[in-house]
Amino acid sequence: VHFSSNNNLSSWSPTHLISASDGKAEAICLVSDPNGILYALWLDGTSSDIKKLYFSRSNDSGKTWSARLLLGRDAKYSFISAKTDGAGNLNIIFSKELSGAEKVYFLRTIDGGKYWTAQKTISNMDGRSSWQALEIDNAARLHVVWKGAGVYYTRSVTY
């Protein structure tokens, strides 16, 4: 997984290696918080089915990156969406398949990735639950849409 930034719409920074790949990195997501901290998330694995969910952060506009942190292991992960809120908390939505059903899950860190909430299930629907998107409104509620047998929506009741 590599990173490069645009300096003035006509030139780019040198490419920086965030993490060597286990085999096949995919579903890469990059977001920043109100303080300019960058967060990279990606899936990686040696199998086309079994992936691990990784996280890294940069405090210096992408010049250096933290060692990758394993957030989830050995599942059939797919599709990551992430967004920071006004307080700088990183909110992550992702899909993974367990026991033949793909479901949508939520994770959050309020301290830049040192500690994480327990994984919370957003969708208990059987079947494919993928291609999700996340938005945070002015009242700090999280809104999530995803594709399943149709297009579905939910929002957080409490934040």
Side-chain angles (χ1 to χ4, degrees), residues 5-58:
S5 64
N6 180 297
N7 295 325
N8 59 15
L9 298 179
S10 64
S11 64
W12 290 84
S13 73
T15 300
H16 302 280
L17 180 66
I18 295 175
S19 174
S21 177
D22 293 340
K24 182 182 176 189
E26 59 186 43
I28 298 166
C29 182
L30 180 70
V31 296
S32 65
D33 73 8
N35 299 314
I37 297 173
L38 296 170
Y39 301 100
L41 298 129
W42 67 96
L43 303 177
D44 204 346
T46 55
S47 161
S48 61
D49 288 338
I50 303 301
K51 302 279 186 241
K52 296 175 183 173
L53 175 60
Y54 287 107
F55 161 85
S56 184
R57 70 181 250 165
S58 174

Side-chain angles (χ1 to χ4, degrees), residues 34-90:
N35 299 314
I37 297 173
L38 296 170
Y39 301 100
L41 298 129
W42 67 96
L43 303 177
D44 204 346
T46 55
S47 161
S48 61
D49 288 338
I50 303 301
K51 302 279 186 241
K52 296 175 183 173
L53 175 60
Y54 287 107
F55 161 85
S56 184
R57 70 181 250 165
S58 174
N59 296 327
D60 58 9
S61 299
K63 293 178 184 132
T64 60
W65 290 85
S66 65
R68 72 181 182 180
L69 175 67
L70 179 64
L71 297 180
R73 57 182 330 114
D74 301 336
K76 193 170 182 179
Y77 287 91
S78 59
F79 310 110
I80 307 166
S81 297
K83 194 153 196 106
T84 56
D85 57 30
N89 303 319
L90 177 61

